[in-house]
Amino acid sequence: MRNIAIFASGTGSNFQAIINAVSSKELKANITILISDKPNCKAIEKAIAKNIHYFAFKAKNYSSKEACEKDLLIHLEEHKVDLIVLAGYMRLIGPTLLKKYPNRIINIHPSLLPTFKGMDALGQAMKANVTVTGVTVHFVDAGMDTGAIISQESLNIESFATREEIETAIHKIEHKLYPKVINKVLEDL
Ligand code: GRF
């Protein structure tokens, strides 16, 4: 069985969906570590509740991104991580991790990339008045949301009345799609 690391900075609803998919054996992997740059985030509470090992750090305590990622590498190697899964992780991945995990870092983003990269993708979609948006899972490269696309699912948002309703629908898609795609990526490793 392959080992995965989840990187998260926030609520961790995707992290929870991945935990659930592992429990139900839909996802054939071990979550060996959660890594977070936000020591008080909800994702960490979810790791504690499930007895999943976690490492929390503050970027400002390192002299550089390189120093920070070298430290993360120690944890990743200690936990024999095969694939890094970003789930609401709010930092760009630098060359230190990219070199050690080529095509082994994936991300989920709430838009149909390459449209609406970066922060608040849903806000961008609403501002642009699109009728269809969606979710993308992609490999991570040095850019922001620019890596090769692995899978996408679209969502027609015409009939939704509020941003909250759209957010809920996007999360629902993410929670189903991400475990499936992780399985596929692990099979192809
Ligand atoms: C998700 O919408 C994901 O697409 C984006 O960040 C959000 C994380 O949500 N990258 P959560 O923390 O998993 O609830």
Side-chain angles (χ1 to χ4, degrees), residues 10-14 88 108-110 171 174:
T11 314
S13 72
N14 280 283
I108 189 160
H109 183 77
H171 270 127
E174 290 185 338

Side-chain angles (χ1 to χ4, degrees), residues 6-12 14 37 85-91 107-108 178:
I6 311 296
F7 281 36
S9 307
T11 314
N14 280 283
D37 61 326
V85 174
L86 309 187
Y89 184 64
M90 303 306 282
R91 312 192 77 79
N107 182 43
I108 189 160
Y178 216 7

Side-chain angles (χ1 to χ4, degrees), residues 18-79:
I18 293 165
I19 292 172
N20 296 347
V22 168
S23 301
S24 68
K25 300 197 165 47
E26 181 211 328
L27 173 53
K28 290 162 195 67
N30 301 310
I31 306 168
T32 51
I33 185 168
L34 168 77
I35 290 186
S36 180
D37 61 326
K38 294 275 182 287
N40 298 314
C41 74
K42 297 270 180 215
I44 292 178
E45 292 174 18
K46 292 178 167 78
I48 293 169
K50 288 288 171 185
N51 240 332
I52 294 169
H53 181 85
Y54 71 91
F55 175 67
F57 68 94
K58 283 190 179 166
K60 66 172 190 201
N61 292 341
Y62 295 93
S63 56
S64 63
K65 189 185 259 303
E66 187 187 357
C68 175
E69 292 195 341
K70 278 187 171 160
D71 193 23
L72 298 187
L73 267 182
I74 295 171
H75 293 270
L76 294 168
E77 283 168 2
E78 185 187 334
H79 289 85

